[in-house]
Amino acid sequence: MSKQNQSDFNKYQALVPNLSGWNSFILRDELLPDLLQDDLGDILYWAGKNLALKFPVTPADLPAFFTANQWGTLIQQTATEQKKVWNLSGPVVTTRLKMNKDCDFMLETGFLAQTQEQSSGWISEAEAKKKLNGSITITVVSDPNQPAPDRSFQPPVTLKQPEQA
């Protein structure tokens, strides 16, 4: 098990004075790596795919879904029928990387892979790469020669816009 100490809390609080996201950070970047160890990335990837099945989102709503879940700012960089490249950035991504340069984004990667698989109807896989500018590039590729398994239809979640005060 990694050694968690008070300095990690102080470092996080220096980066995010109101401690927004601390609960997610402590679970995802402190506890889960200790519990899952070498299997962390694989399990989070498949967890992301599973979440996409439980909470289907239209490709157009992906950025709003990522924002609502405090996963970061998601922007589609390029798109073809078989390949989509996304950029994940923002304060939550920056903070996670500052706290632990080895943190992974496999939950988000799996979610994007499964969402594309559901929308394309083809088996889809994805990979994430950390960029020097502190953002994450996630590339999702679908194989038109491999039809996706037929899953029972789940209507997409409906994302409501926050009310203005």
Side-chain angles (χ1 to χ4, degrees), residues 4 7 10 13 17 21 36 51 95 99 111 116 118 151-152 162:
Q4 168 67 26
S7 67
N10 294 337
Q13 191 171 30
L36 302 176
L51 286 173
T95 299
M99 290 297 296
F111 194 92
Q116 184 165 317
Q118 289 168 225
R151 303 198 192 274
S152 61

Side-chain angles (χ1 to χ4, degrees), residues 25-119:
F25 168 78
I26 200 168
L27 289 172
R28 183 160 177 195
D29 293 320
E30 294 293 337
L31 180 62
L32 286 179
D34 285 346
L35 295 175
L36 302 176
Q37 298 180 12
D38 292 341
D39 296 324
L40 177 69
D42 292 337
I43 290 173
L44 286 178
Y45 181 83
W46 290 105
K49 288 190 110 178
N50 185 270
L51 286 173
L53 290 170
K54 290 182 178 188
F55 303 99
V57 178
T58 64
D61 282 339
L62 278 168
F65 188 83
F66 271 56
T67 298
N69 285 289
Q70 297 182 358
W71 290 351
T73 303
L74 185 69
I75 298 171
Q76 187 172 294
Q77 298 294 306
T78 62
T80 65
E81 189 176 19
Q82 295 175 19
K83 180 179 175 181
K84 294 190 178 23
V85 178
W86 299 88
N87 184 65
L88 182 62
S89 62
V92 69
V93 172
T94 302
T95 299
R96 288 186 66 214
L97 288 168
K98 284 182 179 176
M99 290 297 296
N100 176 5
K101 66 178 176 39
D102 295 324
C103 69
D104 75 32
F105 294 85
M106 295 308 290
L107 182 75
E108 298 87 341
T109 303
F111 194 92
L112 289 173
Q114 187 62 45
T115 299
Q116 184 165 317
E117 184 169 307
Q118 289 168 225
S119 68

